Amino acid sequence: MRQLWFHHPAPSPDVLANLLQELDLPEDLFDELLEQDQSPRLERVGSYLLLVMQFPWRNEGVDAECVLRPLALLWGGDRLWTFSEVEWPFLREWNARKFQDPRVTLIWLLQLLAASYLRTVGRLRQEILVVEARLDATQRTEDFYALLALSKALTRFYVTLASNIVAIFKVSRSAAVGWDEANRAALNLAIADLQHARDRAEISANTASDMMDAYAGMVQININHGLKILTVLALVLYVPSLVATIFGVNVPLLEQNSHWTAWVAMGVAFGISLVMSVHFKRRGWL
């Protein structure tokens, strides 16, 4: 079978130079194409169509950060070239995929894109549940920042997915690709899967944002409640402290020679404190 798909993971400068010469492409095409901050888009480069998409990428390790990496697709002459900055796990054995039509290859890549986002969003949602459980137990600042990072990642996925869908929608309307009815139906299903992944990412991002607002409000309420309790305790202990201060001064006091004076003063002071405590307790301040 004639090879219709050429994949180049982390291509070397020599490989890129040979491709530029073979395909008659602009010399500056690959200067910034594989940088991480590339946005999804569709553009025409000479007689070719260039489609740039963003795939979720995660290094090996449980705590590794999930980021986005570009995957560039070049279409022309019923052939497909793909370029990536990293080696994608789902493309390691790409040579085993010998599609007779490169359009089917493109649809397969779009299905992989949707599945990759769905798996990543599901993994991030599970991490949000774990962080939420830790926040309920400890309310540590580190867990709050972890939840913030997950929310930012989901928001970034939602925005990037929206850009991916716009670029792929332009591909589906491109006359240069020449879609037939069967391939167009499969392409529409792939776009629907991407829209589903976008909706899940949006809902998860909004949920994480609402959770952060709720925890921030809860922390503020706990701080206010603690300050209120400290203020009430200070008021309750103020009366005995005032009586002790008065009887501690070195000046003549009323009935200071009576052995009942100190007990009466202490009883009145603690009685007032008890009345204040009961009042604050009924008001719900203690």
Side-chain angles (χ1 to χ4, degrees), residues 196-262:
H196 175 58
R198 181 200 60 186
D199 294 339
R200 288 194 63 184
E202 182 183 12
I203 294 173
S204 300
N206 293 336
T207 302
S209 179
D210 293 340
M211 287 171 53
M212 286 192 301
D213 294 339
Y215 278 112
M218 183 182 65
V219 170
Q220 187 64 38
I221 291 174
N222 292 337
I223 292 175
N224 294 336
H225 183 66
L227 293 176
K228 184 188 297 184
I229 292 178
L230 291 177
T231 303
V232 169
L233 291 177
L235 290 174
V236 170
L237 297 176
Y238 174 74
V239 178
S241 300
L242 177 62
V243 173
T245 302
I246 293 175
F247 274 86
V249 297
N250 191 17
V251 295
L253 298 174
L254 182 65
E255 298 295 334
Q256 64 178 0
N257 296 324
S258 175
H259 63 279
W260 294 105
T261 302

Side-chain angles (χ1 to χ4, degrees), residues 5 7 9-10 55-61 66-67 69-71 84-97 108-109 112-113 116 119-120 123:
W5 177 25
H7 179 56
F55 274 77
W57 166 262
R58 193 167 194 170
N59 293 324
E60 299 296 334
C66 191
V67 297
R69 299 288 185 182
L71 178 67
S84 61
E85 180 191 6
V86 295
E87 177 65 46
W88 299 99
F90 51 82
L91 295 179
R92 287 175 181 169
E93 298 181 0
W94 68 272
N95 200 27
R97 293 282 181 173
W108 177 68
L109 289 173
L112 288 177
L113 175 64
S116 177
R119 288 194 304 269
T120 305
R123 187 186 304 116

Side-chain angles (χ1 to χ4, degrees), residues 117-236:
Y117 270 102
L118 286 173
R119 288 194 304 269
T120 305
V121 171
R123 187 186 304 116
L124 291 178
R125 293 182 66 178
Q126 293 297 324
E127 293 180 9
I128 287 176
L129 294 177
V130 174
V131 174
E132 182 183 5
R134 292 205 304 261
L135 275 173
D136 289 336
T138 61
Q139 296 184 5
R140 297 186 308 171
T141 305
E142 293 81 1
D143 295 330
F144 186 82
Y145 283 129
L147 184 60
L148 177 61
L150 291 173
S151 176
K152 291 172 60 178
L154 287 169
T155 303
R156 185 170 61 252
F157 284 1
Y158 163 69
V159 174
T160 306
L161 266 171
S163 301
N164 280 330
I165 292 173
V166 171
I168 295 169
F169 184 79
K170 292 180 180 178
V171 173
S172 67
R173 295 295 183 267
S174 176
V177 180
W179 298 102
D180 56 21
E181 292 299 327
N183 288 335
R184 190 178 296 276
L187 179 63
N188 291 333
L189 290 177
I191 294 177
D193 291 338
L194 287 171
Q195 291 174 340
H196 175 58
R198 181 200 60 186
D199 294 339
R200 288 194 63 184
E202 182 183 12
I203 294 173
S204 300
N206 293 336
T207 302
S209 179
D210 293 340
M211 287 171 53
M212 286 192 301
D213 294 339
Y215 278 112
M218 183 182 65
V219 170
Q220 187 64 38
I221 291 174
N222 292 337
I223 292 175
N224 294 336
H225 183 66
L227 293 176
K228 184 188 297 184
I229 292 178
L230 291 177
T231 303
V232 169
L233 291 177
L235 290 174
V236 170

